[in-house]
Every structure is written in structure tokens, then in C-alpha cells.
Amino acid sequence: MNVVDLPLVAPDRKTSGFRPLKVLHHFGKLVEDKEDTEQVFHIIEATKGRRSNAQAHAFIRSPEGQRFLREGTDIPAMLDDHARWADCGPNTVAAHYIAFMRREGLSAAGLVAESHKWAPPESLPQDQTQWYFDRLRDTHDLFHVLTGYGRDALGEAALLGFSYQQNRNTGILFIAYAGARQIKKVSGTKAPIFAAISEGRRLGRAAAKIAHQDIAALMREDIGAARARLNIGKPEVYRQCLAILNAEGTLSEDISLSGAQAA
């Protein structure tokens, strides 16, 4: 069935509210391996509340949301089709996105596959609300590219602070601050780690919602112009933290939740 023909909310959709024991269990697994993205999906689902659903429904009912529903674009397939962006200039969002994904060894399809480890598509409610939540997932790496946050543990945590203000899921905010606390604990750094999370929240609050954009058009924009249009500020405190950690002997790639190795 075409997504535009699905109900806004399926009869079997449930709002979990906040389930702290489940959250702590899966955060413990994330501490063991920050690349275990499946745990993030578990945490988000265990904290998904009315605010997340209300934002989803407001966007779906908006003119832009209705247009994107009708177009039915497969965002991961579009983003992974690097040949589609071959005519884009070197400073476009597309060029920066492709360079980031290749450097990190990532694909949009890979993130989808990680989410399916948590919940196979057939087990999820078949409704337009799920289409919106999938859209949030599918644009995650674009958040990295547009904000400048890296994939080190602090970059991911600060980006989650940004994402919370964009998407209003308390699980995202929990991971951000719990991750910051863990980084501070295992590294012993003097860097203002919690301030980097707060900065991420401030930047996310000020910015236009990235997942609500026309992604195909956004990819073709000059990245500086896109950041200005979306009002995405620079993560200065995050960069300050990386500089301090580096001076202390910890490179960004060594920052982790389970322990930071000296360079």
C-alpha cells in the first residue's frame, strides 16, 4: 500500500512513555560498544511520548508533509545513489555528504538495516506516523554533515542534543547527557563536556528542522548557503573540547563511552 493511503495512526500503535529500566539496560550495551546503533533505537522507542507523535502529526498534515507523502521518495536509496549527485559542485551538501559517508564507511541503507535489527518492518505499525519516524532516521547522517559534529563519542552525544531540540524525543536527550557523563568519567578530561551538549541543544533549537526539508533540493545547495538558510550555527564548544582532549593526549577517534585511550 502506498504511504499516502495509510492511516495517520494505525490501531496497533502504542505510545510507550518513559520506561527507565529498559533505557538503562540498553544504554549499558551502548557503553560497551558505541557503534551498536541498534541500542539507540531501543532507547528511543522506550521513551517515545506524546510530544514526538504530536510533532509527527503536525508535519504530516502540513503542505510540505503532504507533498513529500505524495512523492513517496525513498530517502536512503536516493542518498546512496552517489551517481545522482555527480553533477554537483565540490562545495554542495551532496559533495560533503558523499565524502563523509565514504570516509566513515557508512551508507544510508546500513542505518536502515541497523534499525531493522531492533524491529523488522513487518512488526512496526503501518501508518504515516511510522513514515515520519523513518524520515528522522534516514536524515541522521545529514545532521552530521550540516552541523559539523563528528562521529566520535562526544560528537554523537552533542549531535543528539541538537537532535532532541529538533525531534523532541526524551530518549535522545537521555543518551546525550548520559553519554557526556560517561565520557567525562572515563577520560577524566577538564574539557566542558556538558557545555558541548547544551550548545548542541541551543543550536538545534535555533535551526530549522532538517528532516522537514526537501532533501533532494537540499543536497544540491551550497553547504554554506544551506547552513545559513537553516540557521545552523557552528559547534564552537564541541571543537574547544576536542582541542582540550587532544592536548590531554586523547585524539577524537579515541574518545569513547567505555574508555579513552591516550594517543
Side-chain angles (χ1 to χ4, degrees):
M1 183 182 293
N2 197 316
V3 67
V4 76
D5 298 320
L6 293 174
L8 178 65
V9 182
D12 60 341
R13 176 169 292 281
K14 298 177 182 177
T15 301
S16 60
F18 187 71
R19 300 166 64 188
L21 294 179
K22 187 174 178 66
V23 168
L24 291 171
H25 170 73
H26 290 290
F27 183 73
K29 289 184 174 294
L30 189 62
V31 167
E32 294 172 9
D33 179 9
K34 79 175 182 67
E35 300 295 336
D36 187 1
T37 312
E38 180 187 350
Q39 304 308 320
V40 175
F41 293 110
H42 281 291
I43 294 170
I44 289 173
E45 185 59 27
T47 54
K48 196 175 286 177
R50 291 188 178 88
R51 294 177 76 183
S52 299
N53 285 276
Q55 178 167 299
H57 301 161
F59 176 69
I60 291 166
R61 291 178 174 125
S62 71
E64 295 85 358
Q66 287 294 301
R67 176 165 70 88
F68 299 148
L69 273 172
R70 290 193 299 271
E71 289 174 354
T73 302
D74 183 338
I75 291 177
M78 178 180 69
L79 292 175
D80 282 342
D81 183 6
H82 292 180
R84 175 177 179 148
W85 316 110
D87 61 332
C88 291
N91 208 41
T92 57
V93 174
H96 283 265
Y97 175 82
I98 291 170
F100 173 83
M101 298 299 276
R102 287 177 174 169
R103 182 172 66 248
E104 299 294 337
L106 301 172
S107 69
L111 186 58
V112 174
E114 283 295 317
S115 75
H116 289 171
K117 290 180 183 177
W118 157 69
E122 61 272 15
S123 71
L124 295 169
Q126 299 299 301
D127 56 19
Q128 294 177 1
T129 302
Q130 189 60 46
W131 168 84
Y132 178 80
F133 291 142
D134 287 349
R135 189 177 181 90
L136 298 183
R137 173 201 64 199
D138 297 339
T139 52
H140 172 76
D141 289 311
L142 268 175
F143 277 50
H144 274 291
V145 172
L146 289 165
T147 62
Y149 286 115
R151 291 191 69 244
D152 57 275
L154 179 58
E156 292 285 9
L159 182 62
L160 289 176
F162 181 99
S163 300
Y164 168 73
Q165 298 298 149
Q166 296 257 311
N167 305 332
R168 312 304 294 186
N169 182 283
T170 53
I172 289 175
L173 190 62
F174 171 84
I175 302 171
Y177 279 110
R181 179 180 180 277
Q182 190 69 14
I183 293 167
K184 191 83 171 176
K185 175 183 175 182
V186 300
S187 69
T189 183
K190 296 184 183 301
I193 300 295
F194 290 102
I197 308 303
S198 297
E199 176 186 57
R201 293 187 64 182
R202 176 175 55 78
L203 295 176
R205 186 164 50 245
K209 289 182 170 54
I210 296 172
H212 293 192
Q213 305 302 306
D214 182 329
I215 302 303
L218 174 61
M219 290 286 280
R220 294 188 173 278
E221 284 189 64
D222 174 89
I223 195 165
R227 285 168 174 159
R229 179 178 66 82
L230 298 171
N231 198 32
I232 299 174
K234 296 179 180 179
E236 301 288 6
V237 178
Y238 162 67
R239 291 171 182 169
Q240 178 189 356
C241 287
L242 293 185
I244 293 171
L245 282 157
N246 185 52
E248 292 171 343
T250 303
L251 298 178
S252 60
E253 58 265 31
D254 296 320
I255 305 169
S256 73
L257 300 178
S258 57
Q261 299 173 351

